[in-house]
CSV table of all heavy atoms in Angstrom, one decimal:
chain,number,residue,atom,x,y,z
A,1,GLY,N,0.8,-1.2,0.0
A,1,GLY,CA,0.0,0.0,0.0
A,1,GLY,C,0.8,1.2,0.0
A,1,GLY,O,2.1,1.2,-0.2
A,2,LEU,N,0.2,2.4,0.3
A,2,LEU,CA,0.8,3.7,0.3
A,2,LEU,C,1.0,4.1,1.8
A,2,LEU,O,0.0,4.1,2.5
A,2,LEU,CB,0.0,4.7,-0.5
A,2,LEU,CG,0.4,6.2,-0.4
A,2,LEU,CD1,1.8,6.3,-1.0
A,2,LEU,CD2,-0.6,7.0,-1.0
A,3,VAL,N,2.2,4.5,2.2
A,3,VAL,CA,2.4,4.9,3.5
A,3,VAL,C,3.4,6.1,3.5
A,3,VAL,O,4.2,6.2,2.6
A,3,VAL,CB,3.0,3.7,4.4
A,3,VAL,CG1,4.3,3.3,3.8
A,3,VAL,CG2,3.0,4.1,5.8
A,4,GLU,N,3.3,6.9,4.5
A,4,GLU,CA,4.2,8.1,4.6
A,4,GLU,C,5.6,7.6,5.2
A,4,GLU,O,5.6,6.6,5.9
A,4,GLU,CB,3.7,9.2,5.5
A,4,GLU,CG,2.4,9.8,4.9
A,4,GLU,CD,2.0,11.0,5.8
A,4,GLU,OE1,2.4,11.1,7.0
A,4,GLU,OE2,1.1,11.7,5.3
A,5,ALA,N,6.6,8.3,4.9
A,5,ALA,CA,7.9,8.0,5.5
A,5,ALA,C,7.8,7.9,7.0
A,5,ALA,O,7.2,8.7,7.6
A,5,ALA,CB,8.9,9.0,5.1
A,6,GLY,N,8.5,6.9,7.6
A,6,GLY,CA,8.4,6.7,9.0
A,6,GLY,C,7.3,5.7,9.4
A,6,GLY,O,7.3,5.3,10.6
A,7,GLY,N,6.4,5.4,8.5
A,7,GLY,CA,5.3,4.5,8.8
A,7,GLY,C,5.7,3.1,8.7
A,7,GLY,O,6.9,2.7,8.5
A,8,SER,N,4.7,2.2,8.9
A,8,SER,CA,4.9,0.8,8.9
A,8,SER,C,3.9,0.1,8.0
A,8,SER,O,2.8,0.5,7.8
A,8,SER,CB,4.7,0.2,10.3
A,8,SER,OG,5.7,0.8,11.2
A,9,LEU,N,4.3,-1.1,7.5
A,9,LEU,CA,3.4,-2.0,6.8
A,9,LEU,C,3.8,-3.4,7.1
A,9,LEU,O,5.0,-3.7,7.4
A,9,LEU,CB,3.5,-1.8,5.2
A,9,LEU,CG,2.9,-0.6,4.6
A,9,LEU,CD1,3.3,-0.5,3.1
A,9,LEU,CD2,1.4,-0.7,4.7
A,10,ARG,N,2.8,-4.3,7.0
A,10,ARG,CA,3.2,-5.7,7.2
A,10,ARG,C,2.7,-6.5,5.9
A,10,ARG,O,1.5,-6.5,5.6
A,10,ARG,CB,2.5,-6.4,8.4
A,10,ARG,CG,3.0,-7.8,8.7
A,10,ARG,CD,2.6,-8.4,10.0
A,10,ARG,NE,1.2,-8.9,9.9
A,10,ARG,CZ,0.8,-9.9,10.6
A,10,ARG,NH1,1.6,-10.4,11.6
A,10,ARG,NH2,-0.4,-10.4,10.5
A,11,LEU,N,3.6,-7.1,5.3
A,11,LEU,CA,3.3,-8.0,4.1
A,11,LEU,C,3.2,-9.4,4.6
A,11,LEU,O,3.8,-9.9,5.5
A,11,LEU,CB,4.5,-7.9,3.1
A,11,LEU,CG,4.8,-6.5,2.6
A,11,LEU,CD1,5.9,-6.6,1.5
A,11,LEU,CD2,3.7,-5.7,2.1
A,12,SER,N,2.3,-10.1,3.9
A,12,SER,CA,2.0,-11.5,4.1
A,12,SER,C,2.3,-12.3,2.9
A,12,SER,O,2.0,-11.8,1.8
A,12,SER,CB,0.6,-11.8,4.6
A,12,SER,OG,0.4,-11.1,5.8
A,13,CYS,N,2.8,-13.5,3.0
A,13,CYS,CA,3.0,-14.4,1.9
A,13,CYS,C,2.3,-15.7,2.3
A,13,CYS,O,2.8,-16.4,3.2
A,13,CYS,CB,4.4,-14.6,1.6
A,13,CYS,SG,4.8,-15.9,0.3
A,14,ALA,N,1.3,-16.1,1.6
A,14,ALA,CA,0.6,-17.4,1.9
A,14,ALA,C,1.0,-18.3,0.8
A,14,ALA,O,1.0,-18.0,-0.4
A,14,ALA,CB,-0.9,-17.2,1.9
A,15,ALA,N,1.3,-19.5,1.2
A,15,ALA,CA,1.7,-20.6,0.3
A,15,ALA,C,0.7,-21.7,0.3
A,15,ALA,O,0.1,-21.9,1.3
A,15,ALA,CB,3.1,-21.1,0.6
A,16,SER,N,0.5,-22.3,-0.8
A,16,SER,CA,-0.5,-23.3,-0.9
A,16,SER,C,-0.1,-24.6,-0.1
A,16,SER,O,1.0,-24.9,0.1
A,16,SER,CB,-0.6,-23.8,-2.4
A,16,SER,OG,0.6,-24.2,-2.9
A,17,GLY,N,-1.2,-25.2,0.5
A,17,GLY,CA,-1.0,-26.4,1.2
A,17,GLY,C,0.1,-26.4,2.2
A,17,GLY,O,0.1,-25.5,3.0
A,18,ARG,N,0.9,-27.4,2.2
A,18,ARG,CA,1.9,-27.5,3.3
A,18,ARG,C,3.3,-27.1,2.7
A,18,ARG,O,4.3,-27.4,3.2
A,18,ARG,CB,2.0,-28.9,3.7
A,18,ARG,CG,0.8,-29.5,4.4
A,18,ARG,CD,0.9,-30.9,4.7
A,18,ARG,NE,-0.3,-31.5,5.3
A,18,ARG,CZ,-0.6,-31.4,6.6
A,18,ARG,NH1,0.3,-30.9,7.4
A,18,ARG,NH2,-1.7,-31.9,7.1
A,19,THR,N,3.3,-26.2,1.7
A,19,THR,CA,4.5,-25.8,1.1
A,19,THR,C,5.6,-25.3,2.0
A,19,THR,O,6.8,-25.6,1.9
A,19,THR,CB,4.2,-24.7,0.0
A,19,THR,OG1,3.3,-25.3,-0.9
A,19,THR,CG2,5.5,-24.3,-0.7
A,20,LEU,N,5.2,-24.5,3.0
A,20,LEU,CA,6.2,-23.9,3.8
A,20,LEU,C,6.8,-24.8,4.8
A,20,LEU,O,7.8,-24.5,5.4
A,20,LEU,CB,5.6,-22.7,4.6
A,20,LEU,CG,5.2,-21.5,3.8
A,20,LEU,CD1,4.7,-20.4,4.7
A,20,LEU,CD2,6.5,-20.9,3.1
A,21,SER,N,6.3,-26.0,4.9
A,21,SER,CA,6.8,-27.0,5.9
A,21,SER,C,7.6,-28.1,5.1
A,21,SER,O,7.9,-29.1,5.7
A,21,SER,CB,5.7,-27.6,6.7
A,21,SER,OG,4.8,-28.3,5.9
A,22,THR,N,7.9,-27.8,3.8
A,22,THR,CA,8.5,-28.9,3.0
A,22,THR,C,9.9,-28.5,2.6
A,22,THR,O,10.2,-28.4,1.4
A,22,THR,CB,7.7,-29.2,1.8
A,22,THR,OG1,7.4,-27.9,1.1
A,22,THR,CG2,6.4,-29.8,2.2
A,23,ASN,N,10.8,-28.2,3.5
A,23,ASN,CA,12.2,-27.9,3.2
A,23,ASN,C,12.5,-26.9,2.2
A,23,ASN,O,13.3,-27.1,1.3
A,23,ASN,CB,12.9,-29.2,2.8
A,23,ASN,CG,12.9,-30.3,3.9
A,23,ASN,OD1,12.2,-30.1,4.9
A,23,ASN,ND2,13.6,-31.3,3.7
A,24,ARG,N,11.8,-25.8,2.3
A,24,ARG,CA,12.0,-24.7,1.3
A,24,ARG,C,12.4,-23.4,2.0
A,24,ARG,O,11.8,-23.0,3.0
A,24,ARG,CB,10.7,-24.4,0.5
A,24,ARG,CG,10.2,-25.6,-0.2
A,24,ARG,CD,8.9,-25.3,-1.0
A,24,ARG,NE,8.2,-26.4,-1.4
A,24,ARG,CZ,8.4,-27.1,-2.5
A,24,ARG,NH1,9.3,-26.6,-3.4
A,24,ARG,NH2,7.7,-28.1,-2.9
A,25,ASP,N,13.5,-22.8,1.5
A,25,ASP,CA,13.8,-21.4,2.0
A,25,ASP,C,12.7,-20.5,1.4
A,25,ASP,O,12.2,-20.6,0.3
A,25,ASP,CB,15.1,-21.0,1.5
A,25,ASP,CG,16.3,-21.8,2.1
A,25,ASP,OD1,16.0,-22.4,3.1
A,25,ASP,OD2,17.4,-21.7,1.6
A,26,VAL,N,12.4,-19.4,2.2
A,26,VAL,CA,11.5,-18.4,1.8
A,26,VAL,C,12.2,-17.1,1.9
A,26,VAL,O,12.9,-16.8,2.8
A,26,VAL,CB,10.2,-18.4,2.7
A,26,VAL,CG1,9.2,-17.4,2.2
A,26,VAL,CG2,9.6,-19.8,2.7
A,27,ALA,N,11.9,-16.2,0.9
A,27,ALA,CA,12.6,-14.9,0.9
A,27,ALA,C,11.7,-13.9,0.3
A,27,ALA,O,10.8,-14.2,-0.5
A,27,ALA,CB,13.9,-15.0,0.1
A,28,TRP,N,11.9,-12.7,0.7
A,28,TRP,CA,11.3,-11.5,0.1
A,28,TRP,C,12.3,-10.8,-0.7
A,28,TRP,O,13.5,-10.5,-0.3
A,28,TRP,CB,10.8,-10.5,1.2
A,28,TRP,CG,9.6,-11.0,2.0
A,28,TRP,CD1,9.6,-11.7,3.1
A,28,TRP,CD2,8.2,-10.9,1.6
A,28,TRP,NE1,8.3,-12.0,3.5
A,28,TRP,CE2,7.5,-11.5,2.6
A,28,TRP,CE3,7.6,-10.3,0.5
A,28,TRP,CZ2,6.1,-11.6,2.5
A,28,TRP,CZ3,6.2,-10.3,0.5
A,28,TRP,CH2,5.4,-10.9,1.5
A,29,PHE,N,11.9,-10.4,-1.9
A,29,PHE,CA,12.7,-9.6,-2.8
A,29,PHE,C,11.9,-8.3,-3.1
A,29,PHE,O,10.7,-8.3,-2.9
A,29,PHE,CB,13.0,-10.3,-4.1
A,29,PHE,CG,13.9,-11.5,-3.9
A,29,PHE,CD1,13.5,-12.7,-3.5
A,29,PHE,CD2,15.3,-11.4,-4.2
A,29,PHE,CE1,14.3,-13.8,-3.3
A,29,PHE,CE2,16.2,-12.5,-4.0
A,29,PHE,CZ,15.7,-13.7,-3.6
A,30,ARG,N,12.6,-7.3,-3.7
A,30,ARG,CA,11.9,-6.2,-4.1
A,30,ARG,C,12.5,-5.6,-5.4
A,30,ARG,O,13.7,-5.9,-5.7
A,30,ARG,CB,11.8,-5.1,-3.1
A,30,ARG,CG,13.2,-4.5,-2.8
A,30,ARG,CD,13.1,-3.5,-1.6
A,30,ARG,NE,14.3,-2.9,-1.2
A,30,ARG,CZ,14.5,-2.1,-0.2
A,30,ARG,NH1,13.5,-1.8,0.7
A,30,ARG,NH2,15.7,-1.6,0.1
A,31,GLN,N,11.7,-4.9,-6.2
A,31,GLN,CA,12.2,-4.4,-7.4
A,31,GLN,C,11.7,-2.9,-7.5
A,31,GLN,O,10.6,-2.6,-7.8
A,31,GLN,CB,11.7,-5.1,-8.6
A,31,GLN,CG,12.3,-4.7,-9.9
A,31,GLN,CD,12.2,-5.7,-11.0
A,31,GLN,OE1,11.4,-6.7,-10.9
A,31,GLN,NE2,12.9,-5.6,-12.1
A,32,PRO,N,12.7,-2.0,-7.2
A,32,PRO,CA,12.3,-0.6,-7.3
A,32,PRO,C,12.1,-0.2,-8.8
A,32,PRO,O,12.7,-0.9,-9.7
A,32,PRO,CB,13.6,0.1,-6.7
A,32,PRO,CG,14.3,-0.9,-5.9
A,32,PRO,CD,14.0,-2.2,-6.7
A,33,PRO,N,11.5,0.9,-9.1
A,33,PRO,CA,11.3,1.3,-10.5
A,33,PRO,C,12.6,1.5,-11.2
A,33,PRO,O,13.5,2.2,-10.7
A,33,PRO,CB,10.5,2.7,-10.3
A,33,PRO,CG,9.9,2.6,-9.0
A,33,PRO,CD,10.8,1.8,-8.1
A,34,GLY,N,12.7,0.8,-12.3
A,34,GLY,CA,13.9,1.0,-13.2
A,34,GLY,C,15.1,0.3,-12.7
A,34,GLY,O,16.2,0.5,-13.2
A,35,LYS,N,15.0,-0.6,-11.6
A,35,LYS,CA,16.2,-1.2,-11.1
A,35,LYS,C,16.0,-2.7,-11.1
A,35,LYS,O,14.9,-3.3,-11.3
A,35,LYS,CB,16.4,-0.7,-9.6
A,35,LYS,CG,16.7,0.8,-9.6
A,35,LYS,CD,17.1,1.2,-8.1
A,35,LYS,CE,17.5,2.6,-8.1
A,35,LYS,NZ,17.8,3.0,-6.7
A,36,GLU,N,17.1,-3.4,-10.7
A,36,GLU,CA,17.1,-4.9,-10.7
A,36,GLU,C,16.4,-5.3,-9.4
A,36,GLU,O,16.3,-4.6,-8.4
A,36,GLU,CB,18.5,-5.4,-10.7
A,36,GLU,CG,19.3,-5.1,-11.9
A,36,GLU,CD,18.8,-5.8,-13.1
A,36,GLU,OE1,18.5,-7.0,-13.0
A,36,GLU,OE2,18.7,-5.3,-14.2
A,37,ARG,N,15.9,-6.6,-9.5
A,37,ARG,CA,15.3,-7.2,-8.3
A,37,ARG,C,16.4,-7.5,-7.3
A,37,ARG,O,17.5,-7.9,-7.6
A,37,ARG,CB,14.6,-8.5,-8.7
A,37,ARG,CG,13.7,-9.1,-7.7
A,37,ARG,CD,12.8,-10.1,-8.2
A,37,ARG,NE,11.9,-9.6,-9.3
A,37,ARG,CZ,10.9,-10.4,-9.9
A,37,ARG,NH1,10.7,-11.6,-9.5
A,37,ARG,NH2,10.2,-9.8,-10.8
A,38,GLU,N,16.1,-7.2,-6.0
A,38,GLU,CA,17.1,-7.4,-5.0
A,38,GLU,C,16.5,-8.1,-3.7
A,38,GLU,O,15.3,-8.0,-3.5
A,38,GLU,CB,17.6,-6.0,-4.5
A,38,GLU,CG,16.6,-5.1,-3.9
A,38,GLU,CD,17.1,-3.7,-3.6
A,38,GLU,OE1,18.2,-3.3,-4.1
A,38,GLU,OE2,16.5,-3.0,-2.8
A,39,PHE,N,17.4,-8.8,-3.1
A,39,PHE,CA,17.1,-9.5,-1.9
A,39,PHE,C,16.8,-8.5,-0.7
A,39,PHE,O,17.5,-7.5,-0.6
A,39,PHE,CB,18.2,-10.4,-1.5
A,39,PHE,CG,18.0,-11.1,-0.1
A,39,PHE,CD1,17.2,-12.1,0.0
A,39,PHE,CD2,18.7,-10.6,1.0
A,39,PHE,CE1,17.0,-12.8,1.3
A,39,PHE,CE2,18.6,-11.2,2.2
A,39,PHE,CZ,17.7,-12.3,2.4
A,40,VAL,N,15.7,-8.8,0.0
A,40,VAL,CA,15.4,-8.0,1.2
A,40,VAL,C,15.5,-8.8,2.5
A,40,VAL,O,16.2,-8.3,3.4
A,40,VAL,CB,13.9,-7.5,1.1
A,40,VAL,CG1,13.5,-6.8,2.3
A,40,VAL,CG2,13.7,-6.7,-0.2
A,41,ALA,N,14.9,-9.9,2.6
A,41,ALA,CA,14.9,-10.7,3.8
A,41,ALA,C,14.5,-12.1,3.5
A,41,ALA,O,13.8,-12.4,2.5
A,41,ALA,CB,14.0,-10.1,4.9
A,42,GLY,N,14.9,-13.1,4.4
A,42,GLY,CA,14.5,-14.5,4.1
A,42,GLY,C,14.7,-15.3,5.3
A,42,GLY,O,15.3,-14.9,6.3
A,43,ILE,N,14.1,-16.5,5.3
A,43,ILE,CA,14.2,-17.5,6.4
A,43,ILE,C,14.7,-18.8,5.8
A,43,ILE,O,14.1,-19.3,4.8
A,43,ILE,CB,12.9,-17.7,7.1
A,43,ILE,CG1,12.5,-16.4,7.8
A,43,ILE,CG2,13.0,-18.8,8.1
A,43,ILE,CD1,11.2,-16.5,8.5
A,44,SER,N,15.7,-19.4,6.4
A,44,SER,CA,16.2,-20.7,6.0
A,44,SER,C,15.3,-21.8,6.5
A,44,SER,O,14.8,-21.7,7.7
A,44,SER,CB,17.6,-20.9,6.6
A,44,SER,OG,18.0,-22.2,6.7
């Protein structure tokens, strides 16, 4: 969404079925306008 500087947001990622419990790393990436996709955060 849209937020002012200094504000907060919480993103959610829902995976189908039991996907998150099946030996998979999960990560958040982002792609700013005109730039390459970059790693943000993840869980092993």
